[in-house]
Short mmCIF file of all heavy atoms in Angstrom, two decimals:
data_model
loop_
_atom_site.label_atom_id
_atom_site.label_comp_id
_atom_site.label_asym_id
_atom_site.label_seq_id
_atom_site.Cartn_x
_atom_site.Cartn_y
_atom_site.Cartn_z
N ALA A 11 122.82 109.49 39.67
CA ALA A 11 121.59 108.73 39.84
C ALA A 11 121.35 108.40 41.32
O ALA A 11 122.28 108.00 42.04
CB ALA A 11 121.68 107.43 39.02
N GLY A 12 120.12 108.58 41.73
CA GLY A 12 119.75 108.20 43.11
C GLY A 12 119.18 106.80 43.04
O GLY A 12 118.34 106.51 42.18
N ASN A 13 119.59 105.94 43.97
CA ASN A 13 119.00 104.62 44.09
C ASN A 13 118.27 104.64 45.43
O ASN A 13 118.86 104.57 46.49
CB ASN A 13 120.07 103.56 44.07
CG ASN A 13 119.50 102.15 44.38
OD1 ASN A 13 118.30 101.98 44.44
ND2 ASN A 13 120.40 101.18 44.59
N TRP A 14 116.95 104.76 45.33
CA TRP A 14 116.16 104.90 46.57
C TRP A 14 116.06 103.59 47.32
O TRP A 14 115.61 103.54 48.46
CB TRP A 14 114.75 105.39 46.23
CG TRP A 14 114.67 106.82 45.82
CD1 TRP A 14 115.72 107.67 45.50
CD2 TRP A 14 113.46 107.59 45.70
NE1 TRP A 14 115.22 108.90 45.16
CE2 TRP A 14 113.84 108.91 45.27
CE3 TRP A 14 112.09 107.34 45.89
CZ2 TRP A 14 112.89 109.91 45.07
CZ3 TRP A 14 111.19 108.35 45.63
CH2 TRP A 14 111.58 109.62 45.30
N LYS A 15 116.42 102.50 46.67
CA LYS A 15 116.28 101.16 47.29
C LYS A 15 114.85 100.95 47.74
O LYS A 15 113.91 101.46 47.10
CB LYS A 15 117.33 100.95 48.38
CG LYS A 15 118.75 101.29 47.86
CD LYS A 15 119.85 100.86 48.79
CE LYS A 15 121.17 101.21 48.15
NZ LYS A 15 122.35 100.81 48.93
N ILE A 97 118.41 99.84 36.95
CA ILE A 97 119.63 99.35 37.60
C ILE A 97 119.70 97.82 37.47
O ILE A 97 118.66 97.17 37.73
CB ILE A 97 119.66 99.74 39.11
CG1 ILE A 97 119.64 101.23 39.33
CG2 ILE A 97 120.84 99.08 39.83
CD1 ILE A 97 119.46 101.66 40.76
N HIS A 100 122.70 95.08 40.97
CA HIS A 100 123.15 95.75 42.23
C HIS A 100 123.63 94.68 43.22
O HIS A 100 123.09 93.60 43.25
CB HIS A 100 121.97 96.55 42.83
CG HIS A 100 122.43 97.44 43.95
ND1 HIS A 100 122.64 96.98 45.22
CD2 HIS A 100 122.78 98.75 43.94
CE1 HIS A 100 123.09 97.99 45.96
NE2 HIS A 100 123.18 99.08 45.20
N SER A 101 124.61 95.04 43.99
CA SER A 101 125.20 94.01 44.89
C SER A 101 124.17 93.46 45.91
O SER A 101 124.29 92.33 46.35
CB SER A 101 126.39 94.59 45.62
OG SER A 101 126.00 95.64 46.45
N GLU A 102 123.16 94.30 46.23
CA GLU A 102 122.15 93.81 47.13
C GLU A 102 121.32 92.70 46.48
O GLU A 102 120.87 91.76 47.14
CB GLU A 102 121.26 94.95 47.65
CG GLU A 102 121.99 95.77 48.68
CD GLU A 102 121.62 97.26 48.71
OE1 GLU A 102 120.59 97.62 48.19
OE2 GLU A 102 122.42 98.06 49.28
N CYS A 131 125.79 97.41 37.64
CA CYS A 131 126.61 97.50 38.86
C CYS A 131 127.60 96.36 38.98
O CYS A 131 127.28 95.19 38.75
CB CYS A 131 125.74 97.47 40.10
SG CYS A 131 124.52 98.75 40.20
N ALA A 170 128.36 101.22 36.97
CA ALA A 170 128.50 101.77 38.30
C ALA A 170 129.46 100.84 39.06
O ALA A 170 129.16 99.66 39.28
CB ALA A 170 127.18 101.86 39.00
N GLU A 172 130.60 99.83 42.40
CA GLU A 172 130.18 99.94 43.78
C GLU A 172 130.86 98.89 44.66
O GLU A 172 130.43 97.72 44.69
CB GLU A 172 128.65 99.74 43.88
CG GLU A 172 127.83 100.79 43.13
CD GLU A 172 126.49 100.99 43.74
OE1 GLU A 172 125.78 100.02 44.05
OE2 GLU A 172 126.13 102.17 44.00
N ALA A 176 131.72 99.40 50.77
CA ALA A 176 131.50 100.84 50.94
C ALA A 176 130.02 101.22 50.90
O ALA A 176 129.66 102.39 51.11
CB ALA A 176 132.24 101.61 49.86
N ILE A 177 129.14 100.23 50.66
CA ILE A 177 127.74 100.55 50.48
C ILE A 177 127.01 100.58 51.85
O ILE A 177 126.99 99.61 52.58
CB ILE A 177 127.01 99.48 49.59
CG1 ILE A 177 127.61 99.61 48.15
CG2 ILE A 177 125.51 99.67 49.58
CD1 ILE A 177 127.06 98.58 47.21
N GLY A 178 126.45 101.75 52.13
CA GLY A 178 125.66 101.90 53.34
C GLY A 178 126.50 101.77 54.64
O GLY A 178 125.94 101.64 55.72
N THR A 179 127.79 101.75 54.50
CA THR A 179 128.66 101.55 55.68
C THR A 179 129.26 102.84 56.19
O THR A 179 129.84 102.87 57.27
CB THR A 179 129.81 100.59 55.30
OG1 THR A 179 130.53 101.22 54.22
CG2 THR A 179 129.32 99.22 54.91
N GLY A 180 129.16 103.88 55.37
CA GLY A 180 129.81 105.13 55.74
C GLY A 180 131.30 105.07 55.41
O GLY A 180 132.02 106.04 55.54
N TYR A 215 130.78 106.06 40.37
CA TYR A 215 131.19 105.44 41.65
C TYR A 215 129.98 105.43 42.56
O TYR A 215 129.20 106.39 42.55
CB TYR A 215 132.34 106.22 42.32
CG TYR A 215 132.52 105.74 43.74
CD1 TYR A 215 133.20 104.54 44.03
CD2 TYR A 215 131.98 106.45 44.81
CE1 TYR A 215 133.30 104.09 45.34
CE2 TYR A 215 132.07 105.99 46.14
CZ TYR A 215 132.71 104.79 46.35
OH TYR A 215 132.81 104.33 47.63
N GLY A 216 129.83 104.37 43.33
CA GLY A 216 128.75 104.34 44.33
C GLY A 216 129.22 103.66 45.58
O GLY A 216 130.00 102.71 45.54
N GLY A 217 128.80 104.19 46.73
CA GLY A 217 129.20 103.63 48.02
C GLY A 217 129.48 104.76 48.98
O GLY A 217 130.59 105.33 48.93
N SER A 218 128.47 105.11 49.76
CA SER A 218 128.61 106.19 50.77
C SER A 218 129.11 107.49 50.16
O SER A 218 129.84 108.26 50.77
CB SER A 218 129.55 105.75 51.88
OG SER A 218 129.07 104.61 52.54
N MET A 219 128.69 107.75 48.88
CA MET A 219 128.99 109.04 48.35
C MET A 219 128.06 110.08 48.95
O MET A 219 126.86 109.85 49.09
CB MET A 219 128.86 109.12 46.82
CG MET A 219 129.57 110.32 46.20
SD MET A 219 129.16 110.55 44.45
CE MET A 219 130.55 109.81 43.65
N LYS A 220 128.61 111.20 49.37
CA LYS A 220 127.83 112.25 50.02
C LYS A 220 128.41 113.62 49.71
O LYS A 220 129.53 113.64 49.16
CB LYS A 220 127.76 111.97 51.51
CG LYS A 220 129.08 111.69 52.19
CD LYS A 220 128.89 111.34 53.65
CE LYS A 220 130.22 111.11 54.35
NZ LYS A 220 130.65 109.71 54.33
N LEU A 237 126.32 106.84 41.82
CA LEU A 237 125.08 106.12 42.09
C LEU A 237 124.92 106.22 43.63
O LEU A 237 125.73 105.70 44.37
CB LEU A 237 125.17 104.65 41.63
CG LEU A 237 123.91 103.80 41.78
CD1 LEU A 237 122.70 104.44 41.09
CD2 LEU A 237 124.10 102.41 41.24
N ILE A 238 123.87 106.90 44.01
CA ILE A 238 123.78 107.35 45.38
C ILE A 238 122.63 106.66 46.10
O ILE A 238 121.51 106.70 45.67
CB ILE A 238 123.44 108.90 45.42
CG1 ILE A 238 124.29 109.66 44.38
CG2 ILE A 238 123.64 109.45 46.82
CD1 ILE A 238 125.76 109.59 44.55
N GLY A 239 122.93 106.06 47.24
CA GLY A 239 121.87 105.43 48.06
C GLY A 239 121.36 106.43 49.08
O GLY A 239 120.52 107.31 48.76
N GLY A 240 121.82 106.30 50.30
CA GLY A 240 121.34 107.10 51.40
C GLY A 240 121.16 108.58 51.13
O GLY A 240 120.12 109.17 51.47
N ALA A 241 122.17 109.17 50.51
CA ALA A 241 122.12 110.62 50.32
C ALA A 241 121.15 111.06 49.21
O ALA A 241 120.92 112.24 49.01
CB ALA A 241 123.56 111.15 50.00
N SER A 242 120.55 110.06 48.53
CA SER A 242 119.56 110.46 47.51
C SER A 242 118.16 110.56 48.11
O SER A 242 117.22 110.99 47.45
CB SER A 242 119.52 109.44 46.37
OG SER A 242 118.89 108.19 46.76
P1 LIG B 1 124.92 104.28 49.85
O1 LIG B 1 125.13 105.59 49.10
O2 LIG B 1 123.81 104.32 50.80
O3 LIG B 1 126.21 103.75 50.40
O4 LIG B 1 124.44 103.19 48.72
C1 LIG B 1 125.16 103.12 47.54
C2 LIG B 1 124.42 102.22 46.62
O5 LIG B 1 124.31 101.05 46.84
C3 LIG B 1 123.78 102.83 45.47
O6 LIG B 1 123.30 101.90 44.57
#
Side-chain angles (χ1 to χ4, degrees):
N13 174 8
W14 288 12
K15 307 192 179 183
I97 298 173
H100 192 278
S101 64
E102 285 149 18
C131 301
E172 297 208 312
I177 294 177
T179 57
Y215 167 78
S218 301
M219 196 191 263
K220 48 184 183 269
L237 183 57
I238 318 297
S242 73

